[in-house]
Every structure is written in C-alpha cells, then in structure tokens.
Amino acid sequence: MKEEYIKERLDDQIDWYNSSAIHCKKWHERLTIASILISVLATVCASFNVIVANKSNTLLIINTLLPAIATSIISIDKIKRYQELHIQYRNTWEKLKQEKYLYLTESAEYSSNTNKSALNLLVERVESICSTEVGNWAQLDEKKQAR
C-alpha cells in the first residue's frame, strides 16, 4: 500500500507539477523574448523610416504592426498566466517533494509515528496540498466566469 501510494499518486503528482512548471516557464520566456525582439525591431524600423524621410509606406506599415504584435504577445502571456503558473506549480512541486523526503527519512512529524499513522499523515498532507491546488483553480474559474 505504501509503495503503491507513493508511486501511483505522490510520484505522479510530483512529475506532473514539475513538467507543468517547466512548460509554463518555457512559454513565458518564449513570449517575453519574442516581445522584446519585436519591440527592438520596431525601434530599428522607426529609425530607418526617419532616415528615408518617411517615403517608405512599407516601413510605415511595419512600424504600425510591430508594436501591436509585441503588445499582443505580452497580453497572451498575461492572459495565459504562464509566469504565475510556473511559480505556483514549482511551489507545489517543492512541497510534495519535501513531504515525500520527510516521510522516507522518517523526519519531522513522521519520526514519532508508527508506520501506518506515518503513511496516513503523508496521505493527508499530500492530498491537502493537491486539494489546495484544485481550490486555486476553482477560484480562478469563478473569477473568469464573473467577468
């Protein structure tokens, strides 16, 4: 029972939160870098437009579109909440790992308990961490629906 819970529930959750944190971090970084590069490109195009004395309609169109694209990319990142989710998932991952290692090393509250009650304590704590995460998602959905 102990090995089954750790493998099928705890390790599965640890893996999910780790991969989700990595996914969100990568997307946040990609979108941030893209918006920075596009903003720099817009500045360069504006300089070229001044150099050619505003005679290029193509540069004028590009100058108009690039800041809009950069703003859109930043907005997508904010709407998707990649940075916030990365931090949230990484914190949950750390909490789950900590509980696992405290249990396996019989440290903290797990040291004074019998094997069965230590396992019960582990299950209670892991499920509490996971349900808190689900509660955070439920609150987010309520906020979205209220808008």
Side-chain angles (χ1 to χ4, degrees):
M1 180 69 173
K2 173 174 83 170
E3 291 82 15
E4 182 179 317
Y5 179 79
I6 290 174
K7 182 181 177 194
E8 292 182 15
R9 178 66 170 159
L10 180 54
D11 287 344
D12 181 61
Q13 290 295 302
I14 289 171
D15 292 343
W16 187 89
Y17 281 106
N18 185 44
S19 63
S20 296
I22 290 168
H23 170 80
C24 289
K25 181 179 181 181
K26 283 182 181 178
W27 271 106
H28 172 67
E29 288 175 347
R30 288 174 186 155
L31 293 172
T32 301
I33 290 169
S35 68
I36 291 168
L37 292 176
I38 291 170
S39 297
V40 168
L41 186 58
T43 304
V44 170
C45 286
S47 298
F48 281 127
N49 201 25
V50 169
I51 291 170
V52 296
N54 295 322
K55 293 181 182 175
S56 172
N57 287 335
T58 304
L59 282 176
L60 187 60
I61 292 168
I62 291 172
N63 266 352
T64 304
L65 290 177
L66 288 177
I69 293 169
T71 302
S72 297
I73 290 172
I74 292 168
S75 298
I76 290 168
D77 187 36
K78 294 298 179 198
I79 289 169
K80 293 297 227 170
R81 302 174 44 243
Y82 286 123
Q83 183 179 26
E84 183 181 333
L85 289 174
H86 162 252
I87 293 167
Q88 184 177 334
Y89 290 159
R90 185 57 65 208
N91 286 338
T92 302
W93 176 74
E94 288 289 346
K95 289 176 190 174
L96 291 171
K97 275 185 28 179
Q98 179 184 24
E99 288 301 324
K100 178 181 178 180
Y101 294 130
L102 287 173
Y103 174 78
L104 292 176
T105 59
E106 298 177 354
S107 301
E109 286 98 15
Y110 297 109
S111 66
S112 62
N113 289 307
T114 64
N115 279 341
K116 183 173 180 170
S117 63
L119 178 61
N120 290 344
L121 182 60
L122 175 69
V123 170
E124 288 172 8
R125 287 185 165 196
V126 167
E127 296 306 320
S128 174
I129 292 168
C130 292
S131 68
T132 299
E133 185 68 31
V134 171
N136 290 342
W137 276 104
Q139 287 177 352
L140 177 65
D141 285 341
E142 286 176 8
K143 287 179 184 177
K144 283 184 180 179
Q145 290 175 0
R147 290 181 195 171

